[in-house]
Amino acid sequence: IIYCIASLSYTEVISQNHTKILATKPINDYETLLSNYSFYRISKSILINVKHVHSYDRQNSQVIMKNMEVLDVARRRKSDFLSTILPE
């Protein structure tokens, strides 16, 4: 799993082989389920796998994933996210 995106009470799961799976569970369930596997919630509707982060664009507060998808990081989660991905 590269990341998950919430869509109302559904969750779209995007995998490494570019397969999209629409699940009937809310993203909160996946956040709890995947918490031990280096996943981080970057916004209200996006849960990413930190191992698949290619880079971070500080100017635009966006994460570039290894599959070259660009995802926005919420302002409130930005500092905590940066401390998670950047070594001390």
Side-chain angles (χ1 to χ4, degrees):
I1 298 174
I2 297 176
Y3 63 92
C4 302
I5 296 183
S7 176
L8 299 173
S9 61
Y10 296 99
T11 302
E12 192 172 343
V13 179
I14 290 71
S15 66
Q16 283 182 328
N17 59 2
H18 306 289
T19 306
K20 294 181 182 182
I21 301 166
L22 187 63
T24 57
K25 292 185 178 186
I27 198 163
N28 289 341
D29 291 356
Y30 289 99
E31 183 178 19
T32 304
L33 184 68
L34 299 170
S35 63
N36 295 331
Y37 299 99
S38 40
F39 278 79
Y40 188 83
R41 187 120 173 228
I42 60 170
S43 69
K44 185 178 176 184
S45 61
I46 303 172
L47 177 68
I48 65 167
N49 186 340
V50 177
K51 293 179 181 178
H52 288 276
V53 172
H54 179 266
S55 60
Y56 178 73
D57 180 0
R58 287 182 184 267
Q59 190 172 11
N60 298 318
S61 295
Q62 294 177 322
V63 173
I64 295 96
M65 304 302 286
K66 287 183 180 176
N67 66 352
M68 293 302 144
E69 295 220 26
V70 179
L71 305 170
D72 294 324
V73 178
R75 275 183 271 130
R76 291 183 178 175
R77 298 179 192 249
K78 181 180 173 181
S79 62
D80 192 34
F81 173 68
L82 288 175
S83 66
T84 302
I85 64 166
L86 296 176
E88 300 275 330

